[in-house]
């Protein structure tokens, strides 16, 4: 299934004196941060989020996305939803995504359609179950979906190092396209600085004060290579990124497209 990114590698910080911050166990907080990274590709927050709202729009392309998420104390993702629409004049993509936490962990439902000249190119529907172990750390996810009428399943395992950081994900699928192994690297502060796989390679830059600054990603598709640069252009006084500018360049055999996007966020804390 397509992973929906709730945040664009955003480093968040919050109220140091909140009641939740005083009672949250550091080990459990680290596990919750890992879970958030797995489910939503959101960087580990420094404080206790209560809700998150992000709206992105294209500057030179018909594009909108709206993401909302809620959390219980210690940054446990409780629910989330995303609506997505993109029309570049050649093809149109729409997506609807929902997540909820239950007794077994987390489950998402997703529907995505890509059309061109009123012809459906891609129609995907399904769900992903994220399963934690006895400590609460996600060790496996199972995506069951239909792609253009074909039933498929992708099972992903998550591996950790001695510092309880995700260092590798291994996805095995009934469809070869979705099989992938990803390696993750961190700096001496424990901040994620690189992810790499056969399809996608990303680097992340952080300031000396721990603020997220910039991410660069290269993704290989069957008929193109996509380059994206996400850069924070506004922070609040705690160091949370409130505005991100994305530059996207996609190279095809006979042409190159370039688009820019802006995302604005609102974060509330306990």
């Amino acid at each position: 299934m397509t992973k929906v990114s709730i945040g664009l590698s955003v480093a968040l910080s919050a109220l140091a004196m909140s009641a939740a911050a005083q009672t949250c166990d550091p080990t459990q907080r680290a596990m919750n941060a890992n879970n958030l990274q797995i489910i939503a590709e959101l960087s580990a927050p420094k404080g206790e989020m209560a809700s998150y709202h992000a709206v992105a729009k294209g500057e030179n392309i018909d594009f909108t996305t709206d993401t909302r998420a809620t959390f219980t104390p210690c940054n446990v993702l409780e629910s989330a939803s995303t609506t997505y629409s993109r029309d570049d004049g050649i093809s149109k993509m729409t997506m609807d995504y929902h997540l909820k936490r239950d007794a077994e962990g987390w489950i998402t439902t997703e529907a995505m359609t890509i059309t061109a000249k009123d012809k459906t190119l891609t129609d995907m529907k399904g769900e992903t179950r994220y399963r934690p172990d006895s400590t609460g750390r996600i060790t496996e996810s199972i995506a069951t979906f239909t792609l253009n009428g074909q039933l498929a399943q992708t099972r992903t395992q998550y591996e950790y190092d001695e510092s309880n950081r995700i260092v590798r994900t291994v996805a095995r699928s009934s469809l070869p396209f979705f099989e992938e192994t990803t390696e993750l690297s961190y700096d001496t502060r424990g901040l994620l600085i690189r992810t790499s796989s056969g399809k996608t390679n990303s680097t992340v830059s952080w300031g000396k004060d721990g603020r997220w600054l910039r991410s660069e990603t290269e993704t290989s598709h069957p008929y193109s290579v996509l380059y994206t640069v996400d850069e924070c252009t506004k922070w609040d006084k705690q160091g949370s990124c409130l505005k991100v500018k994305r530059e996207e360049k996609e190279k095809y055999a006979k042409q190159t497209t370039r688009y820019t996007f802006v995302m604005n966020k609102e974060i509330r804390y306990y």
Side-chain angles (χ1 to χ4, degrees):
M1 297 290 285
T2 302
K3 178 170 285 189
V4 176
S5 179
I6 287 181
L8 298 175
S9 301
V10 182
L12 301 173
S13 61
L15 303 175
M17 297 305 293
S18 70
Q22 294 177 13
T23 59
C24 185
D25 176 74
T27 300
Q28 192 62 52
R29 185 198 297 255
M31 291 182 183
N32 293 342
N34 282 330
N35 293 343
L36 190 57
Q37 182 175 317
I38 289 171
I39 299 172
E41 296 183 347
L42 185 65
S43 299
K46 298 176 182 178
E48 310 302 325
M49 290 187 294
S51 65
Y52 177 94
H53 183 207
V55 176
K57 294 184 178 181
E59 293 189 325
N60 58 348
I61 183 176
D62 184 1
F63 171 89
T64 58
T65 183
D66 189 306
T67 294
R68 299 172 186 268
T70 61
F71 300 80
T72 59
C74 296
N75 295 314
V76 178
L77 183 58
E78 186 71 14
S79 65
S81 64
T82 294
T83 56
Y84 178 107
S85 176
R86 175 178 175 137
D87 188 345
D88 61 10
I90 299 175
S91 63
K92 183 176 181 180
M93 175 180 175
T94 60
M95 183 172 62
D96 191 46
Y97 169 94
H98 297 276
L99 173 145
K100 66 178 181 179
R101 185 165 71 104
D102 59 20
E104 296 181 34
W106 293 264
I107 189 166
T108 70
T109 57
E110 180 183 338
M112 180 182 70
T113 304
I114 301 176
T115 58
K117 295 182 180 180
D118 298 324
K119 180 181 179 180
T120 300
L121 303 179
T122 302
D123 183 23
M124 177 185 284
K125 296 182 178 66
E127 65 180 36
T128 301
R129 164 65 70 181
Y130 294 91
R131 289 200 172 107
D133 60 16
S134 59
T135 68
R137 183 178 64 180
I138 293 174
T139 55
E140 179 184 60
S141 66
I142 301 174
T144 304
F145 56 98
T146 58
L147 177 60
N148 297 335
Q150 181 179 358
L151 182 63
Q153 185 179 88
T154 300
R155 185 183 297 264
T156 304
Q157 304 291 330
Y158 303 93
E159 301 176 13
Y160 297 81
D161 63 10
E162 294 180 354
S163 298
N164 210 38
R165 298 174 301 198
I166 307 167
V167 294
R168 184 179 298 104
T169 69
V170 180
R172 295 181 174 86
S173 180
S174 57
L175 297 179
F177 176 80
F178 293 97
E179 295 203 340
E180 188 172 22
T181 297
T182 302
E183 308 282 345
L184 297 87
S185 303
Y186 302 82
D187 65 12
T188 55
R189 297 172 292 179
L191 298 172
L192 179 67
I193 57 172
R194 185 175 297 106
T195 63
S196 60
S197 71
K199 300 175 185 175
T200 302
N201 295 288
S202 298
T203 59
V204 185
S205 301
W206 304 85
K208 293 182 179 180
D209 55 1
R211 293 188 303 173
W212 172 75
L213 303 177
R214 180 184 175 98
S215 299
E216 299 183 37
T217 303
E218 176 181 326
T219 304
S220 297
H221 297 298
Y223 304 105
S224 66
V225 180
L226 176 65
Y227 303 90
T228 58
V229 177
D230 297 316
E231 186 171 6
C232 187
T233 61
K234 182 181 179 181
W235 296 265
D236 62 17
K237 62 182 179 180
Q238 293 127 340
S240 299
C241 184
L242 299 179
K243 188 173 185 178
V244 174
K245 182 175 182 180
R246 165 171 285 197
E247 296 181 352
E248 175 186 292
K249 178 175 69 174
E250 191 159 11
K251 289 187 175 182
Y252 299 87
K254 296 183 179 181
Q255 67 171 334
T256 299
T257 61
R258 291 178 172 86
Y259 301 114
T260 56
F261 312 83
V262 173
M263 175 178 281
N264 290 286
K265 309 174 198 68
E266 181 182 357
I267 305 160
R268 299 184 182 277
Y269 306 97
Y270 282 100

